[in-house]
Amino acid sequence: QVQLQQWGAGLLKPSETLSLTCAVYGGSLSGNYWSWIRQPPGKGLEWIGEIYHSGSTNYNPSLKSRVTISVDTSKNQFSLRLSSVTAADTAVYYCARGSDDYGGLGHYYYHMDVWGKGTTVTVSS
Amino acid sequence: DIQMTQSPSSLSASVGDRVTITCRASQSISTYLNWYQQKPGKAPKLLIYAASSLQSGVPSRFSGSGSGTDFTLTISSLQPEDFATYYCQQSYITPYTFGQGTKLEIK
């Protein structure tokens, strides 16, 4: 079955750029959306954005000016870059696969069914 | 953005209890509603999608219902491994948004 393995720098200084990568094993990037979600310590989940295998993206407007999600189909990987980080960006960052199930009448029900284990990112001077 | 509100925020229950968690959307989302379970230090796990469809491999004691703005997640008979935090999430429109979570604790 599909598994996601993620990695990246865990400690950043304010104003630096966060960079994380998620590799897809046991499957292909094709036909699915690939998302990034984050969770500040002790808080809930925030969707950051997604990329389709073709490269089209959707971002959360709250982060859009600082976020770039990219895909490398040759490596079966996708990546997150978040610029100008502050302490408010301290969180566990997850990558996830988004899947659509057809429910009839033209309805496709999107859900995130495979998740990476998470990467803790701390922003501190 | 669509705001998702869960109730209660926390809940104490015993093994064998029937438990219901509620999620309300700030506007109609049809049945574009997912439920996730998260245990401490772990990634969320998909339980229910499209409001009532059980994800493969998830025990049948979990069920979901609702449409429009009001949804419920029901656990018919709590097992020890069910004590966790539960999140609803709307997939009607981006940005996808989550509820604040319901922490289910052992009584």
Side-chain angles (χ1 to χ4, degrees), chain B residues 56-75:
Chain B
S56 175
V58 174
S60 59
R61 62 181 181 273
F62 291 93
S63 63
S65 65
S67 67
T69 60
D70 294 317
F71 302 87
T72 59
L73 172 70
T74 299
I75 310 172

PDB file of all heavy atoms in Angstrom, chain B residues 56-75:
ATOM      1  N   SER B  56     -11.969   1.933   4.415  1.00  0.00           N
ATOM      2  CA  SER B  56     -11.559   0.539   4.461  1.00  0.00           C
ATOM      3  C   SER B  56     -10.684   0.262   5.680  1.00  0.00           C
ATOM      4  O   SER B  56      -9.757   1.018   5.982  1.00  0.00           O
ATOM      5  CB  SER B  56     -10.790   0.199   3.184  1.00  0.00           C
ATOM      6  OG  SER B  56     -10.286  -1.111   3.232  1.00  0.00           O
ATOM      7  N   GLY B  57     -10.999  -0.813   6.381  1.00  0.00           N
ATOM      8  CA  GLY B  57     -10.208  -1.214   7.533  1.00  0.00           C
ATOM      9  C   GLY B  57     -10.651  -0.620   8.854  1.00  0.00           C
ATOM     10  O   GLY B  57     -10.145  -1.016   9.910  1.00  0.00           O
ATOM     11  N   VAL B  58     -11.582   0.315   8.822  1.00  0.00           N
ATOM     12  CA  VAL B  58     -12.067   0.954  10.053  1.00  0.00           C
ATOM     13  C   VAL B  58     -13.204   0.102  10.634  1.00  0.00           C
ATOM     14  O   VAL B  58     -14.104  -0.315   9.899  1.00  0.00           O
ATOM     15  CB  VAL B  58     -12.555   2.391   9.765  1.00  0.00           C
ATOM     16  CG1 VAL B  58     -13.192   3.005  11.016  1.00  0.00           C
ATOM     17  CG2 VAL B  58     -11.383   3.243   9.288  1.00  0.00           C
ATOM     18  N   PRO B  59     -13.174  -0.163  11.932  1.00  0.00           N
ATOM     19  CA  PRO B  59     -14.202  -1.007  12.549  1.00  0.00           C
ATOM     20  C   PRO B  59     -15.611  -0.452  12.364  1.00  0.00           C
ATOM     21  O   PRO B  59     -15.818   0.774  12.353  1.00  0.00           O
ATOM     22  CB  PRO B  59     -13.810  -1.017  14.030  1.00  0.00           C
ATOM     23  CG  PRO B  59     -12.363  -0.701  14.052  1.00  0.00           C
ATOM     24  CD  PRO B  59     -12.123   0.226  12.907  1.00  0.00           C
ATOM     25  N   SER B  60     -16.561  -1.356  12.238  1.00  0.00           N
ATOM     26  CA  SER B  60     -17.941  -0.963  11.965  1.00  0.00           C
ATOM     27  C   SER B  60     -18.633  -0.295  13.151  1.00  0.00           C
ATOM     28  O   SER B  60     -19.754   0.192  13.015  1.00  0.00           O
ATOM     29  CB  SER B  60     -18.753  -2.184  11.514  1.00  0.00           C
ATOM     30  OG  SER B  60     -18.726  -3.178  12.519  1.00  0.00           O
ATOM     31  N   ARG B  61     -18.001  -0.254  14.306  1.00  0.00           N
ATOM     32  CA  ARG B  61     -18.599   0.469  15.440  1.00  0.00           C
ATOM     33  C   ARG B  61     -18.565   1.988  15.197  1.00  0.00           C
ATOM     34  O   ARG B  61     -19.260   2.730  15.896  1.00  0.00           O
ATOM     35  CB  ARG B  61     -17.896   0.135  16.755  1.00  0.00           C
ATOM     36  CG  ARG B  61     -16.435   0.503  16.825  1.00  0.00           C
ATOM     37  CD  ARG B  61     -15.842   0.103  18.185  1.00  0.00           C
ATOM     38  NE  ARG B  61     -14.423   0.461  18.305  1.00  0.00           N
ATOM     39  CZ  ARG B  61     -13.456  -0.328  17.907  1.00  0.00           C
ATOM     40  NH1 ARG B  61     -13.732  -1.508  17.369  1.00  0.00           N
ATOM     41  NH2 ARG B  61     -12.181   0.054  18.047  1.00  0.00           N
ATOM     42  N   PHE B  62     -17.770   2.440  14.224  1.00  0.00           N
ATOM     43  CA  PHE B  62     -17.749   3.842  13.841  1.00  0.00           C
ATOM     44  C   PHE B  62     -18.783   4.087  12.745  1.00  0.00           C
ATOM     45  O   PHE B  62     -18.863   3.321  11.777  1.00  0.00           O
ATOM     46  CB  PHE B  62     -16.366   4.253  13.322  1.00  0.00           C
ATOM     47  CG  PHE B  62     -15.300   4.281  14.376  1.00  0.00           C
ATOM     48  CD1 PHE B  62     -14.514   3.164  14.601  1.00  0.00           C
ATOM     49  CD2 PHE B  62     -15.084   5.423  15.136  1.00  0.00           C
ATOM     50  CE1 PHE B  62     -13.517   3.171  15.580  1.00  0.00           C
ATOM     51  CE2 PHE B  62     -14.097   5.459  16.116  1.00  0.00           C
ATOM     52  CZ  PHE B  62     -13.322   4.326  16.335  1.00  0.00           C
ATOM     53  N   SER B  63     -19.564   5.133  12.891  1.00  0.00           N
ATOM     54  CA  SER B  63     -20.510   5.498  11.846  1.00  0.00           C
ATOM     55  C   SER B  63     -20.671   7.012  11.807  1.00  0.00           C
ATOM     56  O   SER B  63     -20.441   7.706  12.815  1.00  0.00           O
ATOM     57  CB  SER B  63     -21.873   4.822  12.061  1.00  0.00           C
ATOM     58  OG  SER B  63     -22.458   5.269  13.264  1.00  0.00           O
ATOM     59  N   GLY B  64     -21.040   7.518  10.643  1.00  0.00           N
ATOM     60  CA  GLY B  64     -21.251   8.939  10.476  1.00  0.00           C
ATOM     61  C   GLY B  64     -22.582   9.212   9.807  1.00  0.00           C
ATOM     62  O   GLY B  64     -23.089   8.375   9.056  1.00  0.00           O
ATOM     63  N   SER B  65     -23.143  10.377  10.102  1.00  0.00           N
ATOM     64  CA  SER B  65     -24.402  10.759   9.471  1.00  0.00           C
ATOM     65  C   SER B  65     -24.472  12.277   9.353  1.00  0.00           C
ATOM     66  O   SER B  65     -23.647  12.995   9.935  1.00  0.00           O
ATOM     67  CB  SER B  65     -25.595  10.226  10.279  1.00  0.00           C
ATOM     68  OG  SER B  65     -25.636  10.852  11.557  1.00  0.00           O
ATOM     69  N   GLY B  66     -25.460  12.727   8.603  1.00  0.00           N
ATOM     70  CA  GLY B  66     -25.709  14.157   8.470  1.00  0.00           C
ATOM     71  C   GLY B  66     -25.551  14.655   7.056  1.00  0.00           C
ATOM     72  O   GLY B  66     -24.998  13.975   6.185  1.00  0.00           O
ATOM     73  N   SER B  67     -26.052  15.844   6.824  1.00  0.00           N
ATOM     74  CA  SER B  67     -25.903  16.537   5.548  1.00  0.00           C
ATOM     75  C   SER B  67     -26.245  18.005   5.770  1.00  0.00           C
ATOM     76  O   SER B  67     -26.891  18.348   6.766  1.00  0.00           O
ATOM     77  CB  SER B  67     -26.787  15.927   4.463  1.00  0.00           C
ATOM     78  OG  SER B  67     -28.142  16.140   4.766  1.00  0.00           O
ATOM     79  N   GLY B  68     -25.805  18.830   4.838  1.00  0.00           N
ATOM     80  CA  GLY B  68     -26.059  20.258   4.990  1.00  0.00           C
ATOM     81  C   GLY B  68     -25.072  20.903   5.932  1.00  0.00           C
ATOM     82  O   GLY B  68     -23.912  21.101   5.585  1.00  0.00           O
ATOM     83  N   THR B  69     -25.523  21.206   7.137  1.00  0.00           N
ATOM     84  CA  THR B  69     -24.636  21.851   8.108  1.00  0.00           C
ATOM     85  C   THR B  69     -24.392  21.036   9.374  1.00  0.00           C
ATOM     86  O   THR B  69     -23.494  21.379  10.147  1.00  0.00           O
ATOM     87  CB  THR B  69     -25.200  23.217   8.544  1.00  0.00           C
ATOM     88  OG1 THR B  69     -26.486  23.019   9.149  1.00  0.00           O
ATOM     89  CG2 THR B  69     -25.333  24.167   7.364  1.00  0.00           C
ATOM     90  N   ASP B  70     -25.162  19.985   9.609  1.00  0.00           N
ATOM     91  CA  ASP B  70     -25.068  19.248  10.867  1.00  0.00           C
ATOM     92  C   ASP B  70     -24.702  17.787  10.649  1.00  0.00           C
ATOM     93  O   ASP B  70     -25.364  17.087   9.873  1.00  0.00           O
ATOM     94  CB  ASP B  70     -26.391  19.354  11.635  1.00  0.00           C
ATOM     95  CG  ASP B  70     -26.666  20.781  12.084  1.00  0.00           C
ATOM     96  OD1 ASP B  70     -25.719  21.444  12.563  1.00  0.00           O
ATOM     97  OD2 ASP B  70     -27.816  21.228  11.944  1.00  0.00           O
ATOM     98  N   PHE B  71     -23.662  17.349  11.372  1.00  0.00           N
ATOM     99  CA  PHE B  71     -23.119  16.012  11.187  1.00  0.00           C
ATOM    100  C   PHE B  71     -22.803  15.386  12.538  1.00  0.00           C
ATOM    101  O   PHE B  71     -22.557  16.084  13.524  1.00  0.00           O
ATOM    102  CB  PHE B  71     -21.828  16.089  10.361  1.00  0.00           C
ATOM    103  CG  PHE B  71     -22.025  16.731   9.025  1.00  0.00           C
ATOM    104  CD1 PHE B  71     -21.946  18.109   8.879  1.00  0.00           C
ATOM    105  CD2 PHE B  71     -22.319  15.969   7.900  1.00  0.00           C
ATOM    106  CE1 PHE B  71     -22.148  18.722   7.657  1.00  0.00           C
ATOM    107  CE2 PHE B  71     -22.523  16.558   6.667  1.00  0.00           C
ATOM    108  CZ  PHE B  71     -22.440  17.935   6.544  1.00  0.00           C
ATOM    109  N   THR B  72     -22.819  14.048  12.565  1.00  0.00           N
ATOM    110  CA  THR B  72     -22.459  13.343  13.783  1.00  0.00           C
ATOM    111  C   THR B  72     -21.537  12.178  13.474  1.00  0.00           C
ATOM    112  O   THR B  72     -21.640  11.532  12.430  1.00  0.00           O
ATOM    113  CB  THR B  72     -23.692  12.816  14.532  1.00  0.00           C
ATOM    114  OG1 THR B  72     -24.415  11.943  13.667  1.00  0.00           O
ATOM    115  CG2 THR B  72     -24.584  13.942  14.996  1.00  0.00           C
ATOM    116  N   LEU B  73     -20.641  11.917  14.413  1.00  0.00           N
ATOM    117  CA  LEU B  73     -19.824  10.711  14.433  1.00  0.00           C
ATOM    118  C   LEU B  73     -20.264   9.926  15.651  1.00  0.00           C
ATOM    119  O   LEU B  73     -20.301  10.473  16.759  1.00  0.00           O
ATOM    120  CB  LEU B  73     -18.343  11.062  14.548  1.00  0.00           C
ATOM    121  CG  LEU B  73     -17.393   9.869  14.764  1.00  0.00           C
ATOM    122  CD1 LEU B  73     -17.319   9.013  13.506  1.00  0.00           C
ATOM    123  CD2 LEU B  73     -15.995  10.354  15.168  1.00  0.00           C
ATOM    124  N   THR B  74     -20.593   8.664  15.449  1.00  0.00           N
ATOM    125  CA  THR B  74     -21.035   7.807  16.546  1.00  0.00           C
ATOM    126  C   THR B  74     -20.102   6.614  16.675  1.00  0.00           C
ATOM    127  O   THR B  74     -19.734   6.005  15.669  1.00  0.00           O
ATOM    128  CB  THR B  74     -22.478   7.321  16.328  1.00  0.00           C
ATOM    129  OG1 THR B  74     -23.344   8.453  16.272  1.00  0.00           O
ATOM    130  CG2 THR B  74     -22.926   6.407  17.463  1.00  0.00           C
ATOM    131  N   ILE B  75     -19.725   6.321  17.910  1.00  0.00           N
ATOM    132  CA  ILE B  75     -19.001   5.097  18.226  1.00  0.00           C
ATOM    133  C   ILE B  75     -19.962   4.250  19.042  1.00  0.00           C
ATOM    134  O   ILE B  75     -20.372   4.663  20.134  1.00  0.00           O
ATOM    135  CB  ILE B  75     -17.707   5.371  19.000  1.00  0.00           C
ATOM    136  CG1 ILE B  75     -16.869   6.454  18.294  1.00  0.00           C
ATOM    137  CG2 ILE B  75     -16.887   4.081  19.145  1.00  0.00           C
ATOM    138  CD1 ILE B  75     -15.666   6.931  19.077  1.00  0.00           C
TER     139      ILE B  75
END
